[in-house]
Amino acid sequence: MSKTPSFDKDRDYIGFATLPEQVHRKSVKRGFEFTLMVVGESGLGKSTLINSLFLGDLYKNRQMPNVEERIEKTTRVEKKTMDIEERGVRLRLTVVDTPGFGDAINCEDSWRVCTSYIDEQFRQYFTDESGLNRRNIQDNRVHCCLYFVPPWGHSLRQMDLDLIRRLHRKVNIVLVIGKADCLNKQEVRKLKERILQDLEDNHIQLYQFPECDSDEDDDFKQQDRELKASIPFAVVGSNTILEVAGKKVRGRQYPWGVVNVEDPEHSDFIKLRTFLISTHMQDLKDTTQDVHYENFRAQCISQISQHALRERGKLKRDSISSTNGFDAAISETDRLLLQKDEEIRRMQDMLTQMQEKLKQTHLMEMKKNDSVIDV
Ligand code: GDP
């Protein structure tokens, strides 16, 4: 009996080709979370840019402090969350703002506030991960830090370098030059060159774009090249919609003309939006998990195991110094010592595994970027 072609097809079909769709369906159902930290002194256009990027109004109830308040003020952390939906895909965006950053005469505490916020989120995640209910852990870790550089300097300032140096091993830093419409094309180019030079001279490693896969199409490769070449992004933001040549555009009206925020000739706004939302959001999350969080976790485990070792030593000393005590007490001490030994052994195993994993990631990154990465 002859078989029909469709039967042959069904017989050869196992079904795992639908795996990507299954993953897709599950992820869409679960929704996505992304946390963005914005850092930079006030007035650099941070809130305007965030509103322009996510087409929202995250800052409608904002109150500006007066001069006296600003002198005294210490940096705070303000968290705003917005649920966005696009073609059935839900994104919970959290923007962590640091009002007061660099405003006070003494801005030493500014970096401390940022670093402790990032560490605190890692710590919380670590605690949740080690707890009993690991199914519904909320990921509040900072996936990207947009660091605003003013357009009026000649390059990075000492305070920028100080902060970036303290943050670059904890979070993916992406530099943006705010209010770039203050500069002409040549000035933008020069400022970008000087910033990149400063970073190199100070051995600072910002977020590294992954290499583009060779099987990607040419348009994607071209887009990837352009994104990489634009760093640090020189951006312009605006909350105003203007009409230019019959088209509605987000822009800034000046007596001599309109700056169209979305025009690549005027600013890198579209490139930043493409990078942050369309092409690299997942990689920013993966790097946070695989590099920054793993680093934090390794440090935590090493601290815990050192603590356990100290405790063990203390227990041993106590048991030796106790006068030929009761059998029951000794056996209790032995039990505790065994418990500690087991704990230490577990911690050390975990630590070795993590160090191995970090080494692998490190090697892979080095191969990709052909340069040394600090992790
Ligand atoms: P933030 O304090 O850093 O959040 O700054 P804001 O977003 O509140 O902006 C401060 C002022 O700068 C406001 O008057 C904005 O309209 C203006 N502004 C925002 N973005 C830009 C920009 O890209 N270029 C220029 N020239 N002005 C801007």
Side-chain angles (χ1 to χ4, degrees), residues 41-48 62 179 181 236-237 252 254:
E41 63 196 69
S42 65
L44 276 184
K46 300 185 299 296
S47 0
T48 311
R62 187 181 183 199
K179 295 189 169 181
D181 52 335
V236 179
R252 307 187 67 81
Y254 291 107

Side-chain angles (χ1 to χ4, degrees), residues 86-143:
E86 188 178 77
R87 287 197 244 145
V89 179
R90 283 176 298 117
L91 172 70
R92 167 158 285 214
L93 170 76
T94 304
V95 177
V96 180
D97 200 352
T98 50
F101 179 89
D103 280 357
I105 289 172
N106 177 3
C107 49
E108 265 206 1
D109 80 315
S110 293
W111 61 261
R112 219 167 268 131
V113 171
C114 299
T115 50
S116 39
Y117 181 83
I118 293 168
D119 282 345
E120 193 42 52
Q121 308 318 306
F122 279 152
R123 196 164 297 120
Q124 187 59 53
Y125 197 85
F126 183 68
T127 312
D128 291 348
E129 230 186 17
S130 327
L132 285 179
N133 183 8
R134 297 172 43 173
R135 282 178 69 87
N136 298 315
I137 300 179
Q138 191 163 355
D139 183 7
N140 289 320
R141 294 170 298 179
V142 179
H143 302 114

Side-chain angles (χ1 to χ4, degrees), residues 38 40-52 59 62 64 97 103 148 151 177-182 235-240 252 254 259 261 267:
V38 275
E41 63 196 69
S42 65
L44 276 184
K46 300 185 299 296
S47 0
T48 311
L49 187 85
I50 295 299
N51 284 339
S52 315
Y59 296 87
R62 187 181 183 199
M64 297 305 294
D97 200 352
D103 280 357
F148 278 68
I177 301 169
K179 295 189 169 181
D181 52 335
C182 302
V235 292
V236 179
S238 168
N239 291 328
T240 317
R252 307 187 67 81
Y254 291 107
V259 175
V261 166
S267 93

Side-chain angles (χ1 to χ4, degrees), residues 233-263:
F233 299 105
V235 292
V236 179
S238 168
N239 291 328
T240 317
I241 304 293
L242 303 168
E243 200 162 316
V244 178
K247 269 175 77 181
K248 291 214 177 336
V249 298
R250 196 173 267 268
R252 307 187 67 81
Q253 176 79 63
Y254 291 107
W256 52 88
V258 170
V259 175
N260 178 355
V261 166
E262 301 196 3
D263 185 339

